[in-house]
Amino acid sequence: MKKIIGLLLAAAMLVSGALGCAAQSAPPQWINSTIGSLVTQDTPTDPREDFHLYVNKDWVLETQLDQSETMVSWFSQGQDQVLDQIIPLLEGELSQDHDVRQAQIFYQQYMDMDARNQLGVQPVLPYLEEIQAISTLEELSAYIAKEPQLAALVSWGMTTDLMDSTKNMVGVSLTSLSLGDADEYQQPTNYGLRMKEALTQVVQEALALCGYTQEEAARHVDNMFALETELSGSVYGSSVQKQEDYLQKIYNLYTLEQLEALTPNLPMAQILAKPLAAGAEIFLVMEPDALAKLNQLYTQDNLEKIKSLLICQTVRSAAALLDQRFLDLTDAYVSQMSGVEYRSDLGEMAYSAANGFFEWAIGKLYAQNYGSQEINQRVTQLVEQVVQVYQVRLENNQWLGEETKAMALGKLDSLRVRVGYPQDWTPYEMPQLTLQTAQEGGNLLSNSLLIAAYTRQDALDSLHEAVDKEEWVASPQTVNAYYQPTDNSINLPSAILALAFADGNPSDEQMLGIIGTIVGHEITHGFDTTGSQFDADGNLNNWWTQEDRAAFQELTQQVAQYYGAIEVLPGECVDGQLTIGETVADLGGMSCALEIARGIQDFDYDEFFRSYASLWRLKTTAEMAEMLLTDVHAPNYLRTNVDVQQFEEFYQTYGVEPGDGMYLAPEDRLSVW
């Protein structure tokens, strides 16, 4: 398997606190109907006032959050369906297929809680004891250069060269901070403070289970946060990550000599020993200032703080792979963050862990049992329609100059389309990976490290090979869809298509309302604030004229400002800059689907808009709604309401007029693509 770890995955998982509500006259203030407690039988509904609530009220009232759920959505219900299909196959007789067999072994080992409880904390103790025994900086350097480990200060991994997407390279970065977003250390939000409190409690209790006294556990957690706070000022937080030039900021090429000059106290040659042995000469350093700051703090005086950080990282990395007590701690953390009495489902956790390591083996299992060539063919035809519509829209675009327009059309013409599942599974196989049974001395933690080491080396083996741009980036059982900028592809896995076809043979209206808008959404990602920085070959390359880029930015800023004026929780508004890529893509998806609809005789726009609104149905708690403000997607009820109110067909279908909650004056309506 030649799996490339995409740089943009980190950017797609940005976290940010909501900024203040942007100044704008009379912004829409619909009820945040994703919060289940805000919707009752008495809540009035009217398509002209709040379309999302009008379509989804009954579903919200009927849908109950059980103890294992923090939220329920169209997508999570699809994931539940995948679990119901795959888990019996993982529990069954061991397959003759090597990779599937390894996935089954791992899943069944995860499920064997009796064996895990019998082992208790024993699997992780050697790693903690090794850190605890460190007394000098030299010993610390020897430790952080070892592989595999459960904790690290500096990490490396394979990625695609952003400037030349045919090349693989090694990326080097600081290990992630505990709170995720560096800004939470400098200007903490309520969400960040709540996360820190919950993590403090859980990590302290986890350390206590590993034999540390209450005082020792508290000291280690305090040291961890103290060191991370010092580092955070040099780490790119969400305020930087959402800037349009973020990709340029993280593209920094260093030789080993330059890295060693940047970090003379750190054992960089030892940390990068494997890439260097494989012939790596140039390294992508995403945050040089962060490495320089770590180097500054890498002193004997800070030895205990650094050890505390590694100890806390180790116990957090191992927690899900130990006994029931640690799973209970995880449940306690989720309960505190989500506002529900959360109780994890062991089968779901086992599937998630197995899928994380063996996604393509499980993908093959899913495709063989539940894949549909008929569905793939119908969706492929719809994709061709959407691409044709997009081509016409680009050709008729009024604000693009001819030079930029030709480049955009060339990029669309080069689009790779992946629907369903691969026909050839060879590139995803792991024939040399064999897990150890308990009789052979293996356990869940040791096997996890074994898999991690294998996949890391397997990726490194591709260092001098050209990137295989035909390789799939989304496995068939994924209930989602993706645009990949470095190979200019849209990816529509089988599972999300099966969900759209769950009721049999969907109508044109249902197809366009769900799959059509998704396809248009993913294509638009190629032309959003991030995707538009990549050319037809998947290279980070400015193919815009200065005037056209300025016109594009003016339009996208209108989208950001409109969303930024909407209050979703008391005193909390959408971060329009954070969500701009997704909101622009949503508008593009709806625009393309409606363009196709206009060519269908007797098209039922009511069914179309209802189908689209059902796609974004979601029920959660107020606490989870606050957490979702850190998502790059706008809250789901806005993905319905803001989108539909931009298009005249919606007004004509439901008789929306000035003064109605869904009304937006024609001159204020948003349009980018």
Side-chain angles (χ1 to χ4, degrees):
M1 180 176 64
K2 304 292 192 295
K3 184 172 181 180
I4 304 302
I5 302 172
L7 274 176
L8 293 176
L9 182 60
M13 298 301 290
L14 302 180
V15 290
S16 168
L19 308 178
C21 299
Q24 180 171 312
S25 59
Q29 300 297 346
W30 302 288
I31 180 175
N32 188 342
S33 51
T34 63
I35 302 175
S37 60
L38 298 183
V39 181
T40 69
Q41 289 287 356
D42 296 329
T43 305
T45 60
D46 186 328
R48 297 167 299 180
E49 296 297 332
D50 185 335
F51 187 67
H52 183 86
L53 179 63
Y54 169 74
V55 174
N56 293 307
K57 175 185 173 180
D58 289 344
W59 179 86
V60 171
L61 292 174
E62 293 167 2
T63 301
Q64 300 300 316
L65 296 175
D66 63 32
Q67 64 180 12
S68 65
E69 293 174 319
T70 57
M71 62 180 178
V72 178
S73 68
W74 186 84
F75 292 87
S76 74
Q77 290 179 320
Q79 186 60 43
D80 290 343
Q81 177 177 300
V82 170
L83 288 171
D84 290 342
Q85 293 168 328
I86 293 295
I87 285 179
L89 299 177
L90 293 174
E91 292 174 336
E93 183 178 349
L94 293 181
S95 172
Q96 294 303 308
D97 181 290
H98 173 81
D99 290 0
V100 172
R101 187 183 185 89
Q102 302 310 304
Q104 289 176 304
I105 290 171
F106 186 86
Y107 173 87
Q108 293 173 17
Q109 201 167 42
Y110 199 107
M111 290 293 293
D112 189 355
M113 192 53 72
D114 288 340
R116 292 171 63 178
N117 286 336
Q118 191 171 13
L119 282 171
V121 299
Q122 292 305 313
V124 75
L125 288 184
Y127 298 93
L128 293 171
E129 290 166 356
E130 187 176 7
I131 299 169
Q132 199 65 55
I134 294 171
S135 60
T136 67
L137 213 56
E138 290 73 19
E139 291 173 353
L140 177 62
S141 292
Y143 175 82
I144 64 174
K146 289 177 59 176
E147 290 190 47
Q149 290 289 4
L150 292 166
L153 298 179
V154 178
S155 299
W156 65 265
M158 296 301 298
T159 189
T160 302
D161 187 336
L162 292 179
M163 296 294 184
D164 183 353
S165 60
T166 66
K167 294 181 179 178
N168 292 310
M169 65 188 315
V170 178
V172 181
S173 63
L174 190 73
T175 303
S176 299
L177 302 175
S178 298
L179 298 181
D181 183 2
D183 291 352
E184 289 291 0
Y185 295 81
Q186 303 296 316
Q187 295 178 313
T189 64
N190 291 335
Y191 165 72
L193 291 171
R194 192 153 52 92
M195 182 192 295
K196 183 177 180 181
E197 180 183 358
L199 275 176
T200 297
Q201 179 179 337
V202 167
V203 177
Q204 285 183 5
E205 292 185 27
L207 289 171
L209 291 176
C210 293
Y212 292 90
T213 67
Q214 188 173 11
E215 292 74 21
E216 288 171 337
R219 175 171 54 83
H220 286 313
V221 174
D222 288 345
N223 281 347
M224 174 187 73
F225 280 122
L227 187 64
E228 289 185 338
T229 299
E230 291 187 81
L231 287 167
S232 65
S234 301
V235 175
Y236 290 146
S238 60
S239 57
V240 175
Q241 292 173 345
K242 66 190 176 186
Q243 294 173 7
E244 193 165 320
D245 65 346
Y246 173 65
L247 294 174
Q248 287 74 20
K249 283 184 168 69
I250 65 173
Y251 191 80
N252 309 286
L253 302 184
Y254 280 70
T255 63
L256 175 64
E257 291 73 21
Q258 291 170 324
L259 258 176
E260 289 181 322
L262 178 71
T263 59
N265 297 333
L266 293 168
M268 294 304 300
Q270 288 73 37
I271 291 172
L272 299 174
K274 285 191 174 181
L276 289 167
E281 297 178 351
I282 300 294
F283 299 90
L284 176 65
V285 180
M286 297 177 65
E287 296 179 301
D289 290 348
L291 288 182
K293 183 63 177 180
L294 175 62
N295 178 77
Q296 179 186 333
L297 296 171
Y298 196 78
T299 65
Q300 186 71 32
D301 289 343
N302 285 321
L303 180 62
E304 291 306 314
K305 283 185 181 179
I306 297 172
K307 286 171 58 178
S308 291
L309 175 65
L310 295 172
I311 286 169
C312 292
Q313 281 185 357
T314 296
V315 75
R316 289 183 63 194
S317 297
L321 305 170
L322 298 174
D323 60 25
Q324 183 63 50
R325 297 173 300 171
F326 285 85
L327 297 191
D328 292 342
L329 285 180
T330 301
D331 290 350
Y333 173 79
V334 176
S335 296
Q336 189 167 344
M337 293 302 296
S338 65
V340 301
E341 286 297 322
Y342 181 77
R343 291 293 179 270
S344 56
D345 180 282
L346 186 61
E348 290 182 15
M349 294 185 71
Y351 168 82
S352 179
N355 192 60
F357 286 131
F358 298 100
E359 64 172 329
W360 291 105
I362 293 175
K364 183 194 295 186
L365 202 59
Y366 180 86
Q368 290 173 344
N369 287 273
Y370 298 104
S372 168
Q373 277 298 115
E374 183 180 348
I375 291 176
N376 293 350
Q377 290 169 2
R378 185 171 177 190
V379 171
T380 298
Q381 292 170 356
L382 179 57
V383 172
E384 292 170 355
Q385 282 184 278
V386 177
V387 170
Q388 290 170 3
V389 165
Y390 225 101
Q391 178 179 347
V392 173
R393 295 181 76 81
L394 288 174
E395 289 171 345
N396 296 334
N397 184 284
Q398 298 298 306
W399 54 268
L400 276 181
E402 291 305 314
E403 180 183 347
T404 308
K405 185 181 294 186
M407 296 294 289
L409 286 166
K411 182 172 184 177
L412 181 67
D413 188 57
S414 300
L415 184 73
R416 287 179 170 83
V417 177
R418 303 189 184 101
V419 177
Y421 48 86
Q423 298 303 308
D424 178 13
W425 296 94
T426 307
Y428 316 98
E429 293 174 350
M430 300 186 289
Q432 304 306 316
L433 174 63
T434 301
L435 301 186
Q436 294 181 316
T437 65
Q439 291 73 24
E440 295 168 331
N443 58 60
L444 198 56
L445 180 57
S446 65
N447 275 331
S448 296
L449 288 169
L450 183 68
I451 299 165
Y454 175 90
T455 54
R456 201 158 135 107
Q457 183 61 51
D458 187 56
L460 184 58
D461 289 343
S462 68
L463 177 61
H464 301 293
E465 299 176 5
V467 172
D468 181 1
K469 294 197 176 187
E470 299 308 314
E471 186 173 318
W472 285 53
V473 298
S475 52
Q477 70 276 24
T478 304
V479 187
N480 213 327
Y482 301 94
Y483 174 76
Q484 178 79 353
T486 53
D487 66 7
N488 190 27
S489 68
I490 61 170
N491 302 269
L492 306 164
S494 285
I496 194 170
L497 305 182
L499 188 56
F501 280 76
D503 295 328
N505 186 28
S507 65
D508 288 340
E509 290 81 359
Q510 292 169 327
M511 279 289 289
L512 283 173
I514 297 177
I515 298 299
T517 57
I518 289 175
V519 171
H521 174 106
E522 299 308 331
I523 293 176
T524 304
H525 271 313
F527 303 95
D528 69 13
T529 49
T530 297
S532 62
Q533 298 182 56
F534 291 81
D535 62 22
D537 295 321
N539 299 322
L540 187 61
N541 177 29
N542 183 16
W543 47 272
W544 296 69
T545 65
Q546 186 174 351
E547 296 77 14
D548 289 342
R549 193 70 188 180
F552 173 72
Q553 290 170 335
E554 181 179 354
L555 292 172
T556 57
Q557 284 308 304
Q558 290 174 7
V559 176
Q561 290 167 10
Y562 187 76
Y563 274 90
I566 304 175
E567 187 177 62
V568 293
L569 292 171
E572 299 280 1
C573 290
V574 178
D575 186 337
Q577 295 298 328
L578 177 69
T579 59
I580 192 169
E582 296 296 335
T583 50
V584 167
D586 281 345
L587 291 170
M590 174 65 71
S591 179
C592 283
L594 282 173
E595 191 74 36
I596 295 172
R598 293 175 191 129
I600 299 176
Q601 188 173 5
D602 299 324
F603 189 81
D604 187 339
Y605 286 98
D606 175 58
E607 184 180 7
F608 167 81
F609 286 120
R610 283 173 177 270
S611 296
Y612 181 73
S614 70
L615 175 64
W616 302 119
R617 65 193 185 202
L618 180 144
K619 181 174 183 176
T620 189
T621 63
E623 290 83 356
M624 278 300 298
E626 183 182 33
M627 290 179 68
L628 291 174
L629 286 176
T630 67
D631 191 3
V632 294
H633 302 86
N636 281 31
Y637 75 103
L638 298 182
R639 299 186 75 172
T640 297
N641 284 352
V642 174
D643 261 23
V644 300
Q645 70 169 174
Q646 311 306 321
F647 299 95
E648 187 59 30
E649 286 85 354
F650 176 75
Y651 292 81
Q652 295 174 1
T653 301
Y654 300 102
V656 179
E657 298 178 349
D660 293 336
M662 290 298 301
Y663 184 80
L664 185 62
E667 63 272 18
D668 294 328
R669 293 175 195 170
L670 306 170
S671 176
V672 180
W673 297 110

